[in-house]
Amino acid sequence: MKNLLVYYISILSPIGILIWMAFNCESECFVLGVLLYFIYRNFTDGYRLYSLGLIAKKDIYKTNICLYQIKFFKSLYFKK
């Protein structure tokens, strides 16, 4: 996931599903969707950092820690 456009598409595409769920599903279903989205985002961010060579594959789980992602903020969202 070295391409920045592919990364942004992969993190923003589930937002449409979450918006649809907010208006058409039960609140419990929407909350579950939001929780799954945060888990998905953590692994997506970890995979991007791994593919850029900034972290090792065994450290992908560390992206669940918010401060760990802030350390790589510029590389994660702006580096090509």
Side-chain angles (χ1 to χ4, degrees):
M1 195 172 312
K2 289 184 179 182
N3 190 345
L4 193 60
L5 180 64
V6 172
Y7 172 69
Y8 276 115
I9 289 171
S10 67
I11 64 172
L12 294 176
S13 58
I15 299 290
I17 297 169
L18 288 175
I19 291 171
W20 178 82
M21 287 173 66
F23 293 109
N24 295 322
C25 293
E26 299 287 328
S27 61
E28 295 87 8
C29 182
F30 174 70
V31 170
L32 180 64
V34 169
L35 291 174
L36 289 175
Y37 177 70
F38 282 120
I39 293 169
Y40 168 75
R41 275 296 307 275
N42 288 328
F43 285 108
T44 306
D45 292 347
Y47 182 70
R48 174 154 169 82
L49 291 172
Y50 168 69
S51 66
L52 290 174
L54 298 173
I55 63 172
K57 190 169 188 173
K58 64 179 180 170
D59 293 333
I60 290 177
Y61 74 92
K62 288 184 181 178
T63 57
N64 292 330
I65 304 167
C66 294
L67 296 175
Y68 193 74
Q69 288 178 344
I70 291 172
K71 184 172 140 180
F72 296 106
F73 184 81
K74 189 174 181 180
S75 301
L76 194 60
Y77 295 109
F78 301 116
K79 190 176 184 181
K80 290 185 179 183

